């Protein structure tokens, strides 16, 4: 029988997904192990505070580094913690380096793994996240799925169908639980935002790591700013290259520091459109009904296109697509199955019935 659960969290989006799961499993013995992959207060502590997550039981403080260095540091730290704490189940989230590191260590120690957000596939192995997802799913005893097509992806990779459970989307649980707090007027006055603006976020290595690509991206973002003000809270990853390329040198571009969860979603809610390369934001705009232009050649979240407001664009398509989105009266959208605010509870039910605790 399962009595103790260890949640492994490393990055900002992990925290948003974990909050409702930790809350729904509140009656069990839980520990929260923070790898420290994200360490800036604005990417980590603010989210713990706002989302009501318990203080981490440990922070491994691994910080930044190359993929091998970062993944290895998480593995070494977690092996020590898993041996010491002997959890009966390890829960991992999403597709970041901390996710695969935790799954690998747990599997070698023969501790069962539950993967929240299993089965998403971009089929683009140039993305580190795709490598992390595929391998994490192979190592997981419970694949907790946010979107129906994910079950087919898992089956195609030989993962027994019985391991997959469609539970809905815990990131949307967090969104819906906080809906009353997203005060667009307050966020406008706090950050001096205009009434009408496009909210942009850019942090994918393919878009921001090479100075030439970052410069081309800035040129197109300036093209959007020729149409409407652009507000861009800058993730630390892309900051140097985007600023070097003159991102803030357009009078209608507002560069901000990373925002906390409540302010950020309030800013998204008030935006005329979003331009992004984030995964989670494609889902959040789907629920908020804000048009989303995703600057990527593919998405592991196609349901945000079929049901939501998302559209994939190239750099060259960005300005015309923004013009069209800004001119459209409303983007039709419908809610994907089970994105209803109760995914955390379903995940808890699956874990309890799997472990015999219920
Ligand atoms: C990671 C995830 C990505 C996710 C993103 C969410 C991997 C491979 N990537 O990308 O999938 O979408 O988190 O934000 O796991 N940095 C800071 N402060 C921090 C953290 C990072 O300044 O607290 C800077 C450092 O320069 C660091 C760089 O950002 O080298 C990249 O950080 P890292 O955690 O390696 O990846 P992300 O780009 O944040």
């Amino acid at each position: 029988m399962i009595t103790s659960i260890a949640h492994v969290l490393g990055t900002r989006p992990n925290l948003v997904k974990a909050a409702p799961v930790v809350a729904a499993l509140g009656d069990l013995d839980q520990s929260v192990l923070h790898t420290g992959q994200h360490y800036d207060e604005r990417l980590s502590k603010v989210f713990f505070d706002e989302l009501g997550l318990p203080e981490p039981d440990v922070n491994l403080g691994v910080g930044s580094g190359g993929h091998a260095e970062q993944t290895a540091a998480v593995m070494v730290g977690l092996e020590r913690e898993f041996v010491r704490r002997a959890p009966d189940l390890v829960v991992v989230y999403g597709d970041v380096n901390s996710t695969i590191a935790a799954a690998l260590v747990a599997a070698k120690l023969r501790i069962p793994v539950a993967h929240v957000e299993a089965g998403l596939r971009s089929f683009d192995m140039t993305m580190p996240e795709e490598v992390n997802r595929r391998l994490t799913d192979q190592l997981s005893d419970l694949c907790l799925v946010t979107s129906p097509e994910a079950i087919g992806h898992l089956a195609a990779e030989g993962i027994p169908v019985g391991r997959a459970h469609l539970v809905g989307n815990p990131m949307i649980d967090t969104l819906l639980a906080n809906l009353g707090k997203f005060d667009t007027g307050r966020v406008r006055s706090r950050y001096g935002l205009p009434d009408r603006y496009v909210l942009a976020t850019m942090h994918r290595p393919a878009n921001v790591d090479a100075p030439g690509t970052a410069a081309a991206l800035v040129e197109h973002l300036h093209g959007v700013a020729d149409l409407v003000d652009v507000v861009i809270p800058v993730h630390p990853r892309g900051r140097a290259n985007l600023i070097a390329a003159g991102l803030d040198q357009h009078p209608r571009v507002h560069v901000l520091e990373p925002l906390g969860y409540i302010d950020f979603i309030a800013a998204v809610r008030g935006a005329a459109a979003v331009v992004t390369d984030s995964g989670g934001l494609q889902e959040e705009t789907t629920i908020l009904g804000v048009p989303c232009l995703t600057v990527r050649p593919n998405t592991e979240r196609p349901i945000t296109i079929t049901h939501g407001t998302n559209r994939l664009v190239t750099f060259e398509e960005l300005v015309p697509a923004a013009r069209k989105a800004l001119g459209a009266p409303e983007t039709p959208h419908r809610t994907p199955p089970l994105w209803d605010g109760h995914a955390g509870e379903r995940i808890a039910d699956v874990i309890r019935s799997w472990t015999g605790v219920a």
Side-chain angles (χ1 to χ4, degrees), residues 13 37-40 43 64 70 96-97 129 203 235-237:
Q37 179 174 343
H38 281 178
Y39 45 89
D40 280 357
L43 299 189
S64 304
Q70 189 177 60
V96 301
N97 284 347
E129 292 83 0
H203 76 285
H235 186 287
R237 176 171 205 116

Side-chain angles (χ1 to χ4, degrees), residues 9-70:
L9 310 179
T11 67
R12 182 169 63 173
N14 291 164
L15 309 181
V16 183
K17 291 163 198 170
V21 181
V22 173
L25 287 166
D27 54 327
L28 297 188
D29 173 15
Q30 303 187 80
S31 51
V32 171
L33 313 182
H34 192 338
T35 67
Q37 179 174 343
H38 281 178
Y39 45 89
D40 280 357
E41 187 162 319
R42 287 195 188 90
L43 299 189
S44 179
K45 184 172 181 326
V46 170
F47 282 70
F48 272 89
D49 295 346
E50 289 185 336
L51 301 178
L53 274 164
E55 283 284 304
D57 293 86
V58 67
N59 188 325
L60 302 177
V62 301
S64 304
H67 284 280
E69 191 185 359
Q70 189 177 60

Side-chain angles (χ1 to χ4, degrees), residues 182-206:
F182 304 134
D183 183 341
T184 303
R186 197 194 58 203
V187 97
R188 273 202 185 94
S189 65
R190 179 177 292 177
Y191 298 99
L193 308 184
D195 282 349
R196 190 167 158 81
Y197 60 86
V198 160
L199 192 283
T201 74
M202 287 290 157
H203 76 285
R204 290 281 158 210

Side-chain angles (χ1 to χ4, degrees), residues 156-232:
E157 291 167 19
I159 293 171
V161 176
R163 281 191 207 167
H165 302 265
L166 179 65
V167 290
N169 191 331
M171 186 172 248
I172 301 306
D173 287 13
T174 301
L175 181 86
L176 296 176
N178 289 286
L179 213 47
K181 297 185 191 159
F182 304 134
D183 183 341
T184 303
R186 197 194 58 203
V187 97
R188 273 202 185 94
S189 65
R190 179 177 292 177
Y191 298 99
L193 308 184
D195 282 349
R196 190 167 158 81
Y197 60 86
V198 160
L199 192 283
T201 74
M202 287 290 157
H203 76 285
R204 290 281 158 210
N207 284 336
V208 303
D209 278 8
T213 310
L217 177 60
V218 165
E219 196 184 316
H220 293 285
L221 288 172
H222 284 179
V224 177
D226 290 338
L227 305 173
V228 64
D229 286 72
V230 174
V231 175
I232 177 161

